């Protein structure tokens, strides 16, 4: 199956700083990637849809100036949490769409745990 | 928008027995229904999916059924094993290029 990686796997930062999380599709090209946030014992909530070469589409209630998304290539999307605060502490997960003539499926990365002190 | 409801929230079964998780969805335009298994501290792993032109799909001990008329779909795990213990999420989407809406999750525990 397709492999999606995230880096870092965990990060601790001070309040007010910015953190960048990378999402890579390792063995396939992904024109579309998605970013999710998951709080403890809750489901995944979609934050935004990232399309290569264009602006991301944010879900209602997600601040685009706070969660900057850049999908610069067909294998890399980044999420930058700007001016992080403790309430931004969460598990951030990306997914990438693998599309061929035989398959059309989203695969998820392993997640990045962000802790803001 | 799409809403996906999932039941039960927790499920405990004896090793070797079957487990069934049920979901309903609201948007009749949804035609792609993946199921994910999430272990603690990890990302969701796709275990099986079904598209609206199929009523049932099976992969070894895992099967999924879809009733488009009733907007129901279910996950069936037979001959459960300890490694099946995890949180399972159902989801619905219009296609994999569209956003996936997740159910609330089912925490499955397999009793030895």
């Amino acid at each position: 199956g397709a492999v999606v990686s995230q880096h870092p796997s965990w990060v601790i930062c001070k309040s007010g700083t910015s953190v960048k999380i990378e999402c890579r599709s390792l063995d396939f090209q992904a024109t579309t990637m998605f970013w999710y946030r998951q709080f403890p014992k809750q489901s995944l909530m979609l934050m935004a849809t990232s399309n290569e070469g264009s602006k991301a589409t944010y879900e209602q209630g997600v601040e685009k100036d706070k969660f900057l998304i850049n999908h610069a290539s067909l294998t890399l999307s980044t999420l930058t949490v700007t001016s992080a605060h403790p309430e931004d502490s969460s598990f951030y997960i990306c997914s990438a769409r693998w599309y061929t003539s035989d398959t059309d499926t989203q695969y998820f990365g392993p997640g990045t745990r962000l802790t803001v002190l | 928008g799409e809403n996906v409801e999932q039941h039960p929230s927790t499920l405990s079964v004896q090793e070797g027995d079957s487990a069934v998780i049920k979901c309903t969805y609201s948007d009749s335009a949804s035609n792609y229904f993946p199921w994910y298994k999430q272990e603690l501290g990890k990302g969701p792993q796709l275990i099986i999916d079904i598209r609206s032109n199929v009523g049932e799909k099976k992969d070894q001990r895992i099967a999924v059924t879809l009733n488009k008329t009733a907007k129901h779909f279910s996950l069936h795990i037979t001959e459960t094993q300890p490694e099946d213990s995890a949180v399972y999420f159902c989801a619905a989407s219009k296609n994999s290029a569209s956003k996936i809406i997740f159910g609330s999750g089912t925490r499955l525990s397999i009793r030895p």
Side-chain angles (χ1 to χ4, degrees):
Chain A
V3 179
V4 177
S5 70
Q6 282 184 239
H7 178 80
S9 56
W10 60 271
V11 57
I12 301 173
C13 70
K14 293 182 179 181
S15 186
T17 61
S18 294
V19 174
K20 179 184 285 187
I21 302 169
E22 294 184 348
C23 176
R24 294 182 185 272
S25 54
L26 296 185
D27 49 2
F28 67 100
Q29 294 184 328
T31 55
T32 305
M33 292 184 173
F34 302 85
W35 286 95
Y36 295 81
R37 182 166 51 182
Q38 186 179 33
F39 292 107
K41 296 188 178 181
Q42 293 188 20
S43 188
L44 284 77
M45 298 300 295
L46 180 67
M47 299 174 67
T49 302
S50 168
N51 291 295
E52 187 267 336
S54 64
K55 291 184 178 180
T57 302
Y58 290 82
E59 293 299 301
Q60 191 173 7
V62 178
E63 299 174 59
K64 63 179 181 181
D65 294 330
K66 179 170 184 60
F67 299 99
L68 301 178
I69 292 172
N70 184 17
H71 194 157
S73 77
L74 288 172
T75 58
L76 173 64
S77 176
T78 61
L79 169 68
T80 301
V81 183
T82 63
S83 187
H85 289 95
E87 56 266 30
D88 298 323
S89 299
S90 187
F91 195 46
Y92 291 86
I93 308 170
C94 71
S95 71
R97 181 194 183 202
W98 184 26
Y99 177 77
T100 69
S101 59
D102 300 319
T103 188
D104 190 2
T105 306
Q106 282 189 37
Y107 289 93
F108 283 77
T112 295
R113 185 162 302 283
L114 170 63
T115 302
V116 185
L117 302 178
Chain B
E2 175 69 281
N3 182 48
V4 178
E5 295 191 356
Q6 183 172 348
H7 301 280
S9 57
T10 60
L11 179 61
S12 178
V13 301
Q14 192 76 35
E15 181 178 353
D17 288 349
S18 297
V20 180
I21 302 171
K22 298 182 178 181
C23 291
T24 60
Y25 62 99
S26 61
D27 190 345
S28 57
S30 292
N31 58 15
Y32 176 62
F33 306 92
W35 285 87
Y36 295 91
K37 175 183 180 182
Q38 187 178 30
E39 297 178 337
L40 190 62
K42 297 183 179 180
Q45 175 189 5
L46 178 70
I47 56 173
I48 195 167
D49 58 9
I50 190 168
R51 300 181 192 272
S52 61
N53 58 345
V54 176
E56 184 174 356
K57 184 177 179 180
K58 188 174 182 180
D59 183 5
Q60 298 182 335
R61 297 187 296 110
I62 296 174
V64 57
T65 60
L66 171 65
N67 182 331
K68 283 217 72 180
T69 303
K71 298 181 188 172
H72 291 173
F73 58 116
S74 302
L75 177 72
H76 304 250
I77 305 175
T78 59
E79 301 173 19
T80 53
Q81 300 170 4
E83 53 265 35
D84 294 330
S85 294
V87 178
Y88 290 81
F89 291 98
C90 64
S93 171
K94 292 178 184 177
N95 56 62
S96 71
S98 302
K99 57 186 179 182
I100 289 178
I101 304 301
F102 282 79
S104 54
T106 296
R107 184 171 300 276
L108 175 63
S109 300
I110 308 301
R111 303 190 304 270

